[in-house]
Amino acid sequence: MTMAEEQVATVLPGLDALNRPYWTSGADEVLRIARCRSCSFYLHPPMPVCRKCGGDDVRPEAVSGRGRIATYTINRQRWLPGMKVPFIFAAVELEEQAGLYVLTTIENCPVDSVKSGMSVAVSFLEREGIFLPIFSPVSL
């Protein structure tokens, strides 16, 4: 079992029409985020109507999968049996848009090395057809 497999909770998200593209897009190693076709604003979590312009033509779109750690916490509590602690939980701001955050775990990074502003890139952990986006530092 890898570090990411030990850290990720076994409680998986419920899929619906809005969030399915986000949770399944990692099958081809591409992160997809909902985007308004009217004003090009990214929406995460996905919504049927754009909160910026009110447009209703919102569809998933591929993004780079790169960003920076905006903030993080080091979790030392074992919430589930078998969960490896400590682990890093972070808000990653994607490079496509200011304020576009993905809440995720950070792997391949010692807890004493994580820093706000650190550049990270996405990879995916597959669980029962759901592809959990996990981020790792681009360089330490």
Side-chain angles (χ1 to χ4, degrees), residues 10 12 15 24 125-131:
T10 57
L12 298 172
L15 299 182
T24 60
L125 176 62
E126 192 274 339
R127 292 276 174 91
E128 299 176 28
I130 293 174
F131 292 80

mmCIF file of all heavy atoms in Angstrom, residues 10 12 15 24 125-131:
data_model
loop_
_atom_site.group_PDB
_atom_site.id
_atom_site.type_symbol
_atom_site.label_atom_id
_atom_site.label_comp_id
_atom_site.label_asym_id
_atom_site.label_seq_id
_atom_site.Cartn_x
_atom_site.Cartn_y
_atom_site.Cartn_z
ATOM 1 N N THR A 10 -11.584 5.814 3.089
ATOM 2 C CA THR A 10 -12.311 4.867 2.256
ATOM 3 C C THR A 10 -13.732 5.329 1.973
ATOM 4 O O THR A 10 -14.427 4.708 1.197
ATOM 5 C CB THR A 10 -12.327 3.464 2.899
ATOM 6 O OG1 THR A 10 -12.906 3.567 4.198
ATOM 7 C CG2 THR A 10 -10.927 2.898 2.974
ATOM 8 N N LEU A 12 -16.097 7.244 -0.007
ATOM 9 C CA LEU A 12 -16.017 7.855 -1.329
ATOM 10 C C LEU A 12 -17.189 8.797 -1.558
ATOM 11 O O LEU A 12 -18.257 8.604 -0.974
ATOM 12 C CB LEU A 12 -15.983 6.770 -2.404
ATOM 13 C CG LEU A 12 -14.784 5.828 -2.338
ATOM 14 C CD1 LEU A 12 -14.952 4.688 -3.331
ATOM 15 C CD2 LEU A 12 -13.489 6.584 -2.581
ATOM 16 N N LEU A 15 -21.816 10.029 -6.385
ATOM 17 C CA LEU A 15 -21.785 10.649 -7.711
ATOM 18 C C LEU A 15 -23.178 11.099 -8.121
ATOM 19 O O LEU A 15 -24.165 10.423 -7.859
ATOM 20 C CB LEU A 15 -21.232 9.667 -8.746
ATOM 21 C CG LEU A 15 -19.814 9.156 -8.526
ATOM 22 C CD1 LEU A 15 -19.404 8.231 -9.663
ATOM 23 C CD2 LEU A 15 -18.831 10.299 -8.375
ATOM 24 N N THR A 24 -14.584 11.294 -12.084
ATOM 25 C CA THR A 24 -14.222 10.202 -12.993
ATOM 26 C C THR A 24 -13.225 10.626 -14.071
ATOM 27 O O THR A 24 -12.702 9.778 -14.785
ATOM 28 C CB THR A 24 -15.469 9.600 -13.666
ATOM 29 O OG1 THR A 24 -16.148 10.612 -14.409
ATOM 30 C CG2 THR A 24 -16.419 9.005 -12.628
ATOM 31 N N LEU A 125 -5.712 8.683 -7.657
ATOM 32 C CA LEU A 125 -5.815 7.424 -6.949
ATOM 33 C C LEU A 125 -7.197 6.867 -7.258
ATOM 34 O O LEU A 125 -8.210 7.493 -6.939
ATOM 35 C CB LEU A 125 -5.640 7.644 -5.450
ATOM 36 C CG LEU A 125 -5.819 6.431 -4.556
ATOM 37 C CD1 LEU A 125 -4.778 5.362 -4.883
ATOM 38 C CD2 LEU A 125 -5.724 6.845 -3.104
ATOM 39 N N GLU A 126 -7.239 5.709 -7.915
ATOM 40 C CA GLU A 126 -8.512 5.116 -8.317
ATOM 41 C C GLU A 126 -9.066 4.247 -7.201
ATOM 42 O O GLU A 126 -8.351 3.432 -6.624
ATOM 43 C CB GLU A 126 -8.323 4.276 -9.589
ATOM 44 C CG GLU A 126 -9.627 3.869 -10.243
ATOM 45 C CD GLU A 126 -10.253 2.584 -9.706
ATOM 46 O OE1 GLU A 126 -9.533 1.767 -9.109
ATOM 47 O OE2 GLU A 126 -11.472 2.430 -9.888
ATOM 48 N N ARG A 127 -10.321 4.465 -6.870
ATOM 49 C CA ARG A 127 -11.045 3.663 -5.897
ATOM 50 C C ARG A 127 -12.453 3.427 -6.430
ATOM 51 O O ARG A 127 -13.230 4.374 -6.554
ATOM 52 C CB ARG A 127 -11.160 4.372 -4.538
ATOM 53 C CG ARG A 127 -9.869 4.541 -3.788
ATOM 54 C CD ARG A 127 -9.560 3.252 -3.007
ATOM 55 N NE ARG A 127 -8.281 3.293 -2.385
ATOM 56 C CZ ARG A 127 -8.047 3.725 -1.151
ATOM 57 N NH1 ARG A 127 -9.007 4.188 -0.415
ATOM 58 N NH2 ARG A 127 -6.823 3.702 -0.675
ATOM 59 N N GLU A 128 -12.745 2.206 -6.811
ATOM 60 C CA GLU A 128 -14.097 1.817 -7.236
ATOM 61 C C GLU A 128 -14.644 2.717 -8.351
ATOM 62 O O GLU A 128 -15.802 3.130 -8.328
ATOM 63 C CB GLU A 128 -15.050 1.811 -6.041
ATOM 64 C CG GLU A 128 -14.646 0.835 -4.957
ATOM 65 C CD GLU A 128 -15.535 0.889 -3.733
ATOM 66 O OE1 GLU A 128 -16.723 1.246 -3.857
ATOM 67 O OE2 GLU A 128 -15.019 0.576 -2.648
ATOM 68 N N GLY A 129 -13.808 3.034 -9.326
ATOM 69 C CA GLY A 129 -14.234 3.849 -10.458
ATOM 70 C C GLY A 129 -14.237 5.345 -10.200
ATOM 71 O O GLY A 129 -14.593 6.130 -11.065
ATOM 72 N N ILE A 130 -13.827 5.744 -9.007
ATOM 73 C CA ILE A 130 -13.700 7.162 -8.658
ATOM 74 C C ILE A 130 -12.211 7.467 -8.635
ATOM 75 O O ILE A 130 -11.412 6.709 -8.079
ATOM 76 C CB ILE A 130 -14.359 7.467 -7.303
ATOM 77 C CG1 ILE A 130 -15.874 7.273 -7.439
ATOM 78 C CG2 ILE A 130 -14.012 8.871 -6.816
ATOM 79 C CD1 ILE A 130 -16.632 7.400 -6.153
ATOM 80 N N PHE A 131 -11.829 8.563 -9.257
ATOM 81 C CA PHE A 131 -10.422 8.948 -9.361
ATOM 82 C C PHE A 131 -10.181 10.169 -8.476
ATOM 83 O O PHE A 131 -10.545 11.285 -8.828
ATOM 84 C CB PHE A 131 -10.046 9.210 -10.822
ATOM 85 C CG PHE A 131 -10.068 7.954 -11.631
ATOM 86 C CD1 PHE A 131 -11.268 7.443 -12.113
ATOM 87 C CD2 PHE A 131 -8.905 7.241 -11.871
ATOM 88 C CE1 PHE A 131 -11.305 6.249 -12.831
ATOM 89 C CE2 PHE A 131 -8.932 6.051 -12.588
ATOM 90 C CZ PHE A 131 -10.131 5.557 -13.068
#
